Amino acid sequence: MNTTAAATQANVTVATVRAWCRRGVVAAVKVAGRWVIDSVSLAARIAIGARKRPARQETAPVIDLTATYTYNAPTPTGSEPTTITPTVKTRTRKTGFTWTTITGLAPLFADQLNAITDEGDRIHAAILLETSQITITDQIEDGPDEIVNGIAFLDRGRLRVKHQSTRQVPMDAVIDLARRIRTQLAA
C-alpha cells in the first residue's frame, strides 16, 4: 500500500509513515520514487502503538531540607539578619526504635511567610516555625490521633508535630508537611 493508505490505516500523518519507512520501522521499498509499504509490517507497527502504556505516576515535589530562610530579627539596637536552616537528626534509642526530628521549619514555608504583608506578623510566624518540630518514629503507641498542648500525636504516635498555630501557618499545614517529609525520607 502507499503512504496515504498506510497513514489512514495507522491514524497517523503521511510524514510519520515516511519516517517509519526511512528508519525501517515498517517494511517498505521505494518504487519509482514512492514508498510501497508491507501491510503485515504496518499492522505489527499499529499493534505496537496500540499497546497501553502504563499511566505516568505523579511524583510529589521534593522537599528541600537544606533550604534557608533569612529575616530581620529585632534586637535592642535595631534588627539583625537571622538565617534559619532545617535541622534533621536521626537517632536510635536503646529500645531499638528510630527517632527522626526535624526543626527549623521556616524555610519550608518561605512562600507563606513571604506572603505575609505585615513585617511583625511575618517575623512572629518565622520565629514560631523556627521552634516548631516534627518527629517521625517507628515506635507505636496506643491512643487516638489528638492534639494536646500544641503537640499533635498522629498515626499511633509515629508522627508528632509541635507547632504553635498562627493564622498564616496553621497546625494542619505543618501536619501536611510532616506527612510529606515522612514519605520522602522513607523513599
Side-chain angles (χ1 to χ4, degrees):
M1 72 177 69
N2 65 24
T3 55
T4 305
T8 302
Q9 187 173 336
N11 198 26
V12 295
T13 65
V14 172
T16 298
V17 172
R18 287 187 190 126
W20 288 349
C21 295
R22 281 193 307 275
R23 293 187 328 225
V25 174
V26 293
V29 293
K30 271 203 166 181
V31 176
R34 297 182 182 266
W35 288 105
V36 176
I37 299 139
D38 178 68
S39 59
V40 174
S41 175
L42 178 65
R45 176 65 188 109
I46 292 169
I48 290 169
R51 290 183 192 155
K52 184 162 175 96
R53 292 189 176 109
R56 195 172 185 195
Q57 290 191 353
E58 293 294 320
T59 56
V62 175
I63 300 165
D64 183 4
L65 295 173
T66 62
T68 60
Y69 184 79
T70 302
Y71 66 96
N72 288 319
T75 64
T77 59
S79 67
E80 179 177 300
T82 300
T83 301
I84 304 169
T85 305
T87 303
V88 180
K89 293 180 182 176
T90 300
R91 60 191 160 105
T92 303
R93 293 196 169 172
K94 292 178 185 177
T95 58
F97 293 110
T98 301
W99 289 67
T100 300
T101 304
I102 302 104
T103 56
L105 305 180
L108 308 178
F109 288 97
D111 290 341
Q112 290 93 321
L113 291 172
N114 291 335
I116 301 171
T117 56
D118 181 79
E119 185 178 8
D121 287 346
R122 184 172 50 255
I123 291 169
H124 177 71
I127 291 169
L128 291 177
L129 284 167
E130 185 176 12
T131 59
S132 293
Q133 177 177 310
I134 296 170
T135 303
I136 303 164
T137 180
D138 51 0
Q139 182 175 348
I140 298 174
E141 296 181 358
D142 291 330
D145 287 0
E146 61 183 348
I147 299 175
V148 179
N149 297 326
I151 301 174
F153 295 90
L154 308 163
D155 302 335
R156 298 186 63 196
R158 292 177 293 188
L159 184 64
R160 300 165 190 211
V161 175
K162 178 184 142 197
H163 174 66
Q164 186 173 339
S165 207
T166 65
R167 213 171 356 111
Q168 296 85 1
V169 187
M171 176 67 96
D172 288 345
V174 181
I175 289 172
D176 178 61
L177 174 70
R179 288 191 165 120
R180 289 187 293 129
I181 290 173
R182 178 176 61 181
T183 301
Q184 179 174 313
L185 294 177

